[in-house]
Amino acid sequence: MPRVLITDSLSPAGLEKLEAAGGIEVVVKSGLTPEQLREELKEADGIIVRSGTKLTPAALEGQTRLKAVARAGVGVDNIDLPAATKAGVVVMNTPSGNTVSTAEQTLALMFALSRNTAPAAQSMAEGKWDRKKYTGTQLAGKTIGVVGLGRIGQAVARRCVALEMDVIGYDPFLSSDLAKEMGVELVRDVDQLVPRVDYLTVHTPLTDETRGLINADRMSQMKKGVRLINCARGGIIDEAALAAALKDGSVGGAALDVYEQEPPPADSPLHGCPNLLMTPHLGASTEEAQELVAVEAAEIMSNFLKTGEIRHAVNMVPVSGAEMAEVRPYLDLGYRLGVLLSQITGDAGVNGVKLAFRGDAAKKKTGLVTGAFAAGLLADAVEDVNLVNAAAVARDRGISLEESKSESAGDFSTSVSATVTTDSGDYTVAGTLFGSGYLRLIRVDGFHLDAFLDGTLLIYRHRDVPGLIGFIGNLLGEEGVNIADMSLGRSLDEPGGDSVAVLHLDQCPTEAAMKKIADHPEVTGVRAVKLPGRGEALPGVLAAAG
């Protein structure tokens, strides 16, 4: 009988769900030392944890019986994913259970800011009656900016629309059609949003790109008296800049549920700030949310143990080793095409993706390749996106994913092409495999070529006239940038037509060099693209899949 170990407090509804599944032994043991945990795992097929249990490399190493971890919650910071993957343990989480509770916490803080609820309540507790001092403002008719429109951001936006607020949303990957359906004005640049809002709430992951996203410069562009809310991740709003803006009155109020360091240290600049409401990370702290994530974790674990289903996995894919060996080069190809298109399209909002598999590629598990492509497309915008969850994450943002297959080889024995539909038009790239894993770029939009699909690429569109290649070569030479390879695709079999060139570079060009190329009268567009190096291990679950 499979044995499931539970080491953190779990809602009784979750325990009941697991026991009701039948055929599973449930063992509850909390407060284990690291050594005790390691020993208990030797006798467990699965473990359900919250944030209290730390699954470290030491705990996971050599665990030959353990097959799965279910995290009752979203974050998996307490689980060492590389160690779990190395041990052959699938890690699954419950991403949707806290959506409503976190959205409601955001609105609760927004209401409290608007009506001065906390200081007014404190004043009453002190025996005072200061009605005039705590005059507030209504939300109806105000403009709120929602930065990040994933599950929680969308839930907040819909509720704000119902409150008769004007909602402006920023998300590089939400489709325009879905935003319109929600009643949200969509922008693709945060700087287009910040000057217009009366309230701003953030709902993005914390990444290198989003750390300090709302900084001193952006706060200076906001309306005087703007109110800021963060129930997402500490660090998205620069705390030092926020403290200064609250003290000088340029920001009228702020409410924080999350912090750069939790709990905030004694020397945090936030302490003592006026018009600041702070709560101790309560976003998912409701009875309903805790019950939902517990029940979902129980379902995930029981289905895995009884049927082999893998749901919401963050480090593995449902495919056999033999199948993975065959599809692995295509995962690499799909991921690189996704990364390439994400950089080519820039901030243009992606609405849909069409992947076409021809020849040998059409005979593989194309769903996995589509997942790898989506992971590459979303890698810079979404936290913890991987082969398993990328397609679902894309669809959550209104991005449709379509596949077509033809075993007819065409010009190549195998090929994968991807077309993304954006607010500014369609973009297409295609790639192929030579040998066991030699990846090549064979198409950029309507231009056919043969270029490397790794490292740094300089892609520029131009009119095919004499002298341009020499100009660019000399310019890059002066910058100390070496050209390793070049491929040209042109629309005509004679000079003068529209063309595209792909230069494979040993170094990345400077911004000054890029500007000089872009300013050339015969160049109609230029992009520098950074791809993984040839043979470089792919990130996260993609690497593990190999």
Side-chain angles (χ1 to χ4, degrees):
M1 181 181 294
R3 188 172 191 258
V4 175
L5 177 65
I6 299 173
T7 55
D8 292 321
S9 175
L10 198 68
S11 167
L15 293 173
E16 292 170 7
K17 188 76 174 180
L18 198 59
E19 291 169 347
I24 297 174
E25 180 186 359
V26 181
V27 178
V28 179
K29 290 190 177 183
S30 59
L32 299 176
T33 67
E35 184 55 38
Q36 289 172 334
L37 174 62
R38 178 175 169 78
E39 291 303 311
E40 290 292 338
L41 288 176
K42 292 179 180 179
E43 304 300 323
D45 297 278
I47 180 172
I48 298 177
V49 302
R50 292 181 62 193
S51 59
T53 298
K54 309 298 181 186
L55 292 175
T56 64
L60 292 166
E61 184 178 5
Q63 297 293 353
T64 56
R65 179 170 174 176
L66 186 66
K67 301 179 183 69
V69 177
R71 165 69 164 96
V74 179
V76 291
D77 295 346
N78 57 315
I79 303 167
D80 191 293
L81 294 181
T85 301
K86 183 178 180 181
V89 177
V90 61
V91 179
M92 299 168 281
N93 67 354
T94 56
S96 59
N98 68 345
T99 297
V100 171
S101 290
T102 303
E104 288 184 353
Q105 173 72 348
T106 301
L107 266 68
L109 294 182
M110 183 168 64
F111 275 112
L113 278 179
S114 299
R115 301 308 298 267
N116 298 307
T117 303
Q122 181 61 36
S123 175
M124 288 288 290
E126 295 170 356
K128 301 176 183 177
W129 185 259
D130 293 326
R131 291 186 67 194
K132 292 183 179 180
K133 183 177 179 181
Y134 297 114
T135 300
T137 182
Q138 69 179 29
L139 296 177
K142 300 299 188 299
T143 299
I144 184 169
V146 182
V147 178
L149 288 164
R151 284 189 181 93
I152 296 172
Q154 289 181 34
V156 170
R158 288 190 172 98
R159 285 158 175 77
C160 290
V161 168
L163 292 172
E164 300 180 14
M165 300 183 78
D166 295 322
V167 183
I168 306 173
Y170 162 77
D171 192 294
F173 288 97
L174 185 79
S175 73
S176 302
D177 290 343
L178 181 56
K180 185 177 181 180
E181 177 187 317
M182 291 192 299
V184 174
E185 178 188 343
L186 188 63
V187 299
R188 300 299 186 184
D189 189 334
V190 175
D191 291 320
Q192 295 176 2
L193 176 151
V194 293
R196 301 173 54 193
V197 300
D198 303 298
Y199 296 80
L200 184 142
T201 178
V202 294
H203 298 284
T204 71
L206 181 65
T207 66
D208 290 341
E209 288 73 28
T210 62
R211 188 180 300 277
L213 181 69
I214 307 304
N215 52 29
D217 181 58
R218 288 198 167 106
M219 290 181 203
S220 70
Q221 300 174 39
M222 297 179 185
K223 295 178 181 179
K224 183 176 177 61
V226 67
R227 294 174 171 89
L228 308 182
I229 305 154
N230 186 4
C231 292
R233 293 288 188 273
I236 298 171
I237 297 178
D238 186 309
E239 291 180 358
L242 175 61
L246 286 167
K247 290 173 182 176
D248 69 21
S250 56
V251 169
L256 304 179
D257 190 48
V258 290
Y259 308 90
E260 293 177 9
Q261 182 178 335
E262 296 187 355
D267 61 353
S268 169
L270 298 173
H271 294 309
C273 286
N275 303 317
L276 176 61
L277 177 60
M278 300 169 69
T279 53
H281 205 149
L282 301 177
S285 295
T286 63
E287 294 176 1
E288 293 82 0
Q290 295 307 309
E291 182 171 311
L292 283 170
V293 297
V295 169
E296 189 174 8
E299 289 178 344
I300 284 172
M301 182 60 73
S302 62
N303 288 349
F304 172 80
L305 293 174
K306 300 190 76 171
T307 69
E309 178 188 75
I310 297 177
R311 194 194 324 166
H312 301 316
V314 298
N315 75 327
M316 291 186 71
V317 295
V319 61
S320 71
E323 290 171 326
M324 183 54 68
E326 289 185 1
V327 79
R328 177 63 177 79
Y330 289 95
L331 297 183
D332 198 352
L333 178 61
Y335 180 80
R336 289 166 187 266
L337 292 176
V339 172
L340 176 64
L341 276 171
S342 75
Q343 296 181 48
I344 288 176
T345 57
D347 292 331
V350 176
N351 299 312
V353 174
K354 293 182 179 179
L355 290 163
F357 300 88
R358 297 203 65 177
D360 189 54
K363 304 172 187 176
K364 307 301 180 187
K365 282 187 171 282
T366 57
L368 294 174
V369 184
T370 297
F373 172 85
L377 184 69
L378 299 170
D380 287 338
V382 180
E383 186 178 27
D384 296 330
V385 66
N386 57 50
L387 185 60
V388 176
N389 64 15
V393 170
R395 293 187 179 103
D396 282 346
R397 281 164 167 72
I399 301 173
S400 63
L401 296 170
E402 298 180 22
E403 293 183 9
S404 64
K405 305 177 189 180
S406 173
E407 295 187 11
S408 173
D411 293 333
F412 295 88
S413 62
T414 186
S415 67
V416 178
S417 69
T419 299
V420 295
T421 299
T422 76
D423 296 340
S424 59
D426 292 353
Y427 299 82
T428 299
V429 295
T432 190
L433 301 176
F434 291 159
S436 61
Y438 193 57
L439 309 179
R440 304 291 289 188
L441 177 65
I442 57 174
R443 182 183 172 191
V444 175
D445 292 330
F447 302 97
H448 296 272
L449 41 78
D450 179 13
F452 285 90
L453 196 52
D454 57 72
T456 300
L457 303 181
L458 180 70
I459 303 175
Y460 64 92
R461 297 171 182 272
H462 61 285
R463 285 175 285 276
D464 187 21
V465 297
L468 180 57
I469 293 174
F471 166 78
I472 292 177
N474 288 334
L475 174 60
L476 294 177
E478 291 170 1
E479 294 280 339
V481 176
N482 188 56
I483 301 174
D485 186 74
M486 177 177 181
S487 180
L488 177 70
R490 58 184 189 173
S491 58
L492 304 174
D493 290 331
E494 58 187 39
D498 292 333
S499 302
V500 67
V502 178
L503 305 186
H504 188 235
L505 305 179
D506 290 333
Q507 299 86 22
C508 190
T510 64
E511 290 186 10
M514 293 292 293
K515 186 176 187 307
K516 289 178 182 178
I517 295 171
D519 288 344
H520 192 284
E522 303 300 339
V523 172
T524 56
V526 61
R527 285 271 187 184
V529 173
K530 182 64 177 176
L531 300 177
R534 186 182 179 196
E536 181 178 327
L538 296 178
V541 69
L542 295 174

